[in-house]
Amino acid sequence: MNGVKVEFSMKFTSRDMSLKRTPSKKQTGVFGVKISVVTKRERSKIPYVVRQCVEEVEKRGIDEVGIYRISGVATKIQDLKAAFDSNSTDILVMLSDMDINAIAGTLKLYFRELPEPLLTDRLYPTFMQGIALSDPSAKENCMLHLLRSLPDPNLITFLFLLEHLKRVAEKEPINKMSLYNLATVFGPTLLRPSEAESKGHVTLASDIWSHDVMAQVQVLLYYLQHSPISFAELKHNAVYLSTDV
């Protein structure tokens, strides 16, 4: 049209590769840095990037159809990532002007780039075992015990995200994002096998990997469907159980 020629190119990246973590030893910035390092440096319980992205989504994106499912523009996400990494004074202005899907994408990217998933490499096998338990009482005891076993920064951040996702799901009639949809988006990001375990699965059939992803989704869905979980109550029960004879 009028001599203008537009060309597009697309590159497919499998879900497995898109979720793969690249180990990082950097201690500056927030992306790719251990959550304990970031919270200690910020003197906060929850990383600033998580709190600000969640607040912005709840302020003007909670009614957005497909929030967290629809990808934001990659360049905008990278702009936000750079701003958070450099602790830019313009972050709040950028957030207020940024497309809400880019902000949601930045939050997902933060969790995806953690050196290890929020629910940790160490506990991954036990999460897989716990979610497979058939007895409801045994499952609840196991799943709550696993939360108590998380480092405090991971647990507090996870509970904060959990309550946020529940609030998003309350708007399902408007945003079309159910608890299951949100668990599908976030489950494989928050809970992934370690690099060593992943390498051990390379020669296995793809349906085994798919089974793992389904279990990861079910773990997050379990907590999303659970009654409100309090950090103080979890810790109190941990002390009670450790002293009970």
Side-chain angles (χ1 to χ4, degrees):
M1 183 176 63
N2 296 328
V4 177
K5 182 180 180 181
V6 180
E7 294 184 355
F8 295 92
S9 63
M10 298 180 67
K11 179 181 178 181
F12 172 76
T13 301
S14 71
R15 183 179 179 85
D16 188 26
M17 291 302 296
S18 68
L19 291 174
K20 185 177 181 180
R21 288 178 171 79
T22 302
S24 173
K25 295 182 179 179
K26 75 171 187 173
Q27 298 299 301
T28 59
V30 294
F31 284 78
V33 180
K34 289 182 178 179
I35 192 170
S36 58
V37 173
V38 172
T39 52
K40 183 177 181 180
R41 187 200 311 136
E42 295 178 349
R43 297 182 180 179
S44 62
K45 294 182 178 180
I46 299 166
Y48 181 71
V49 58
V50 174
R51 188 178 295 278
Q52 290 305 129
C53 288
V54 163
E55 288 182 1
E56 199 63 32
V57 168
E58 293 197 358
K59 184 188 301 181
R60 59 187 180 88
I62 204 164
D63 291 337
E64 190 79 13
V65 174
I67 188 68
Y68 288 122
R69 186 180 67 234
I70 297 176
S71 300
V73 177
T75 54
K76 298 297 183 182
I77 294 174
Q78 290 302 316
D79 288 344
L80 270 179
K81 174 184 176 180
F84 278 111
D85 269 340
S86 63
N87 195 26
S88 171
T89 56
D90 297 329
I91 288 177
L92 294 182
V93 174
M94 289 180 67
L95 285 171
S96 63
D97 293 339
M98 189 72 68
D99 172 67
I100 200 63
N101 288 314
I103 295 173
T106 301
L107 180 64
K108 292 188 293 183
L109 181 66
Y110 169 76
F111 287 117
R112 190 160 64 243
E113 291 197 355
L114 284 174
E116 70 169 348
L118 189 65
L119 298 185
T120 73
D121 291 331
R122 177 177 63 88
L123 295 177
Y124 178 79
T126 319
F127 273 111
M128 295 295 97
Q129 294 167 11
I131 199 62
L133 293 173
S134 57
D135 179 75
S137 180
K139 178 181 285 190
E140 179 171 31
N141 288 337
C142 178
M143 299 302 280
L144 293 182
H145 173 71
L146 284 167
L147 290 188
R148 296 187 197 100
S149 303
L150 288 169
D152 283 0
N154 298 60
L155 175 56
I156 295 171
T157 301
F158 178 68
L159 295 179
F160 178 77
L161 179 65
L162 205 62
E163 292 308 308
H164 165 61
L165 295 180
K166 288 181 180 181
R167 288 190 289 271
V168 172
E170 288 174 358
K171 296 285 188 173
E172 180 188 355
I174 301 172
N175 61 34
K176 310 304 179 186
M177 292 300 289
S178 65
L179 290 176
Y180 180 79
N181 289 339
L182 292 165
T184 301
V185 171
F186 279 92
T189 299
L190 303 179
L191 190 71
R192 293 278 293 171
S194 66
E195 289 297 314
E197 190 169 345
S198 295
K199 289 178 181 177
H201 283 194
V202 170
T203 58
L204 301 181
S206 61
D207 59 336
I208 295 180
W209 181 84
S210 299
H211 179 270
D212 281 355
V213 171
M214 290 175 61
Q216 292 155 14
V217 171
Q218 289 301 316
V219 168
L220 182 54
L221 184 61
Y222 178 86
Y223 291 121
L224 286 171
Q225 293 175 333
H226 198 280
S227 56
I229 303 170
S230 161
F231 174 82
E233 185 178 351
L234 277 174
K235 291 299 181 178
H236 173 76
N237 289 342
V239 172
Y240 173 79
L241 290 171
S242 67
T243 57
D244 190 22
V245 179

